[in-house]
Amino acid sequence: MKKRYLILTLGLVLAGAAFAEPSGWDQVPEILSRVVPPKFPAREFDITKFGAVGDGQTDCTEAIAKAIAACAKKHGGHVVVPAGEFLTGPIQLRSGVDLHLAATNSVLKFSTDPKAYLPAVFTRFEGIECYNYSPLIYTVGQKNVAITGDGLLDGQADDSNWLGWKGRKGGSNNQNVARKRLDDMNNQNVPVSQRVFGEGDFMRPNFIQFQRCKNVLIEGVRIRRSPMWEIHPLLCTNVTVRGVDIYSHGANNDGCDPESCRDVLIEKCLFDTGDDCIAIKSGRNNDGRRVGIPSVNLVIRDCTMRDGHAGTAIGSEISGSCSNVFVEDCEMSSPNLVCALRLKSNAMRGGVLQNIFMRNVNVGLVKDSVLQIDFLYEEGARGEFNPVARNVVMENIKVAQTPRVLNVRGFPAASITGVRIYNSSFKQVQNPDVVLDADVKLVDCSLEPAK
């Protein structure tokens, strides 16, 4: 394998004219013109009028379902969660319904009894289609759906329940066996109808999953203690995630994972997570290629990223490909934030990751690098579907402290081309950059070594 390293130097400057790329940013106004949040009739359906009791102990699952049904029957409105602590099992939204947490002390506290989330529903687990525990909030094939307000969504996940299933503490009650079985089913093209999981398989549900929906809004709420991925729009069109506050540090606690979605806006959110803050996906291995729906046209702006594996990640379940991602005006900083921008795949997952743009981002501190592209992730070069990354452009990135600027690992059969960082400054750089089998250039950038 041919290795190439960009060695750390002071004030690295390359001639910008020789490597100029189209900016791509002129596409953003057209994308945003299609991202229009749903509107709801001025009708309110207070869950306490349907029997919900905000004492934190009474099971309000049925009462909430009745309020949602009544709202849908009247052709939409707001299902209101007033002040109080409401214990519930899974919530299934319907077209025209805004689940509205009306006050800062409006709390939906979700049961940690796995049996409450059965029978199994059609979903994806880490990019693979299957039947599994229902997400805590779930909806399929609906239009004009929302979760809004100032209140709190509390999944109550900890090591004594959902998080213990990750298997970090060993023992038999973990997901490892079932997760491998699902992966094998995918790779062997077992029909999805036969991929049924549930009790005894220990595969955790996502917190919020909107699947095959149009006109989705998630705004204002706080999310805590998620079993796994927090916000998971799947195969959706016209999605707005705005002003959401996420603090959840469990295993695989990604903040927002748009998967095989089109026309997505994520703005003014706070992410402090146990995994990627934002992770864009499009299915894993055979399922991603079979379904064949990429993630396209995503705008991420004015967000704050603290702990997490990446501020914005693309992958690793990216077999259906991804294009046109725009990240701007974000603040990122944490000793536990691995990198600002991360692309990851391998020769089992493949995918084309193209037209990825980031600009005007301030980074205080990252743990590994500013840009990480990892095509040697997990199975690495062992596979037939070589990944592609092209036209990845970062501009005006200001970094106060980083171990290195670049950690880019390709392999000869993969393709990483047109990766450019323009007009950016990197301070307190500690180590040489790593660039393996990739076309990467820094243009009009300054690097200041750590003293």
Side-chain angles (χ1 to χ4, degrees):
M1 241 181 226
K2 181 182 177 183
K3 294 186 177 180
R4 292 183 288 143
Y5 294 91
L6 288 180
I7 304 301
L8 176 67
T9 60
L10 177 62
L12 176 63
V13 178
L14 299 177
F19 304 109
E21 301 279 357
S23 74
W25 284 94
D26 56 357
Q27 299 177 61
V28 170
E30 182 181 351
I31 294 169
L32 293 179
S33 72
R34 298 191 297 270
V35 182
V36 180
K39 295 181 179 180
F40 301 90
R43 288 188 285 265
E44 294 189 352
F45 300 80
D46 189 321
I47 63 172
T48 61
K49 299 296 194 297
F50 294 84
V53 179
D55 60 3
Q57 298 179 353
T58 302
D59 186 350
C60 301
T61 308
E62 185 176 352
I64 294 171
K66 287 179 178 179
I68 290 170
C71 181
K73 187 175 181 179
K74 292 289 187 179
H75 306 293
H78 307 274
V79 171
V80 176
V81 180
E85 191 173 277
F86 297 89
L87 179 67
T88 183
I91 295 173
Q92 189 163 339
L93 296 182
R94 295 170 61 176
S95 291
V97 174
D98 167 29
L99 180 63
H100 182 69
L101 286 80
T104 56
N105 57 344
S106 299
V107 180
L108 285 174
K109 183 173 284 188
F110 288 83
S111 170
T112 58
D113 178 5
K115 293 181 180 179
Y117 300 88
L118 294 173
V121 301
F122 179 74
T123 184
R124 284 189 188 179
F125 184 88
E126 294 184 338
I128 303 176
E129 292 187 338
C130 64
Y131 289 82
N132 192 32
Y133 291 106
S134 171
L136 280 56
I137 301 177
Y138 177 69
T139 188
V140 180
Q142 306 298 298
K143 291 183 178 181
N144 302 322
V145 285
I147 304 169
T148 66
D150 298 320
L152 173 66
L153 302 173
D154 183 1
Q156 298 199 91
D158 61 31
D159 286 334
S160 71
N161 48 66
W162 300 117
L163 298 185
W165 292 6
K166 173 63 175 178
R168 289 179 171 175
K169 296 183 181 300
S172 58
N173 290 354
N174 65 64
Q175 68 182 21
N176 297 344
V177 173
R179 185 177 182 272
K180 184 181 185 306
R181 187 165 81 249
L182 177 60
D183 194 37
D184 291 342
M185 287 177 167
N186 182 23
N187 294 333
Q188 295 163 13
N189 295 311
V190 172
V192 177
S193 61
Q194 298 177 26
R195 307 177 193 175
V196 181
F197 295 79
E199 192 169 3
D201 292 314
F202 308 108
M203 296 206 310
R204 295 161 292 152
N206 299 155
F207 203 134
I208 300 168
Q209 185 183 96
F210 290 86
Q211 183 183 146
R212 296 187 183 274
C213 293
K214 294 182 178 180
N215 312 335
V216 172
L217 173 65
I218 302 175
E219 183 172 30
V221 293
R222 291 165 287 136
I223 299 174
R224 302 290 186 266
R225 298 195 289 178
S226 175
M228 201 170 145
W229 296 357
E230 280 115 24
I231 299 175
H232 183 205
L234 172 60
L235 296 158
C236 291
T237 302
N238 183 19
V239 177
T240 301
V241 180
R242 176 183 293 131
V244 176
D245 179 316
I246 296 177
Y247 181 90
S248 192
H249 276 245
N252 308 116
N253 268 210
D254 297 18
C256 185
D257 291 40
E259 183 169 8
S260 299
C261 290
R262 177 178 292 271
D263 296 340
V264 177
L265 171 63
I266 304 171
E267 67 176 355
K268 302 183 187 303
C269 295
L270 170 63
F271 297 98
D272 199 329
T273 66
D275 209 308
D276 295 320
C277 296
I278 297 171
I280 301 165
K281 302 178 182 292
S282 60
R284 179 169 174 169
N285 297 6
N286 287 350
D287 268 12
R289 291 182 283 270
R290 172 178 57 80
V291 177
I293 298 179
S295 281
V296 182
N297 303 337
L298 301 103
V299 178
I300 299 162
R301 64 187 185 185
D302 298 319
C303 291
T304 300
M305 289 83 165
R306 294 176 182 165
D307 281 11
H309 290 184
T312 298
I314 302 171
S316 62
E317 300 89 357
I318 202 68
S319 303
S321 299
C322 174
S323 61
N324 302 344
V325 177
F326 301 89
V327 184
E328 66 176 335
D329 299 325
C330 293
E331 298 283 338
M332 306 181 185
S333 185
S334 170
N336 298 313
L337 183 67
V338 176
C339 56
L341 178 63
R342 184 185 203 185
L343 283 63
K344 53 181 177 175
S345 187
N346 57 43
M348 286 286 287
R349 303 185 187 185
V352 176
L353 290 62
Q354 64 182 351
N355 305 333
I356 314 300
F357 304 98
M358 177 180 282
R359 70 181 181 186
N360 304 335
V361 171
N362 291 327
V363 180
L365 170 66
V366 287
K367 186 176 182 179
D368 175 77
S369 53
V370 179
L371 171 64
Q372 185 183 103
I373 302 178
D374 188 2
F375 281 178
L376 294 174
Y377 184 76
E378 293 190 348
E379 294 94 343
R382 302 190 303 275
E384 301 176 358
F385 303 94
N386 296 315
V388 174
R390 59 185 177 222
N391 198 23
V392 179
V393 180
M394 304 174 73
E395 305 172 76
N396 192 29
I397 312 299
K398 296 181 179 179
V399 182
Q401 183 175 343
T402 179
R404 55 175 55 86
V405 176
L406 303 170
N407 189 357
V408 178
R409 303 194 307 153
F411 54 92
S415 177
I416 301 175
T417 60
V419 179
R420 303 288 183 262
I421 303 181
Y422 293 102
N423 303 315
S424 298
S425 62
F426 309 96
K427 297 181 179 180
Q428 296 296 306
V429 183
Q430 301 164 14
N431 301 310
D433 291 332
V434 175
V435 179
L436 172 62
D437 292 298
D439 164 33
V440 184
K441 292 182 173 66
L442 276 63
V443 181
D444 296 332
C445 293
S446 63
L447 281 72
E448 180 181 296
K451 296 180 180 179

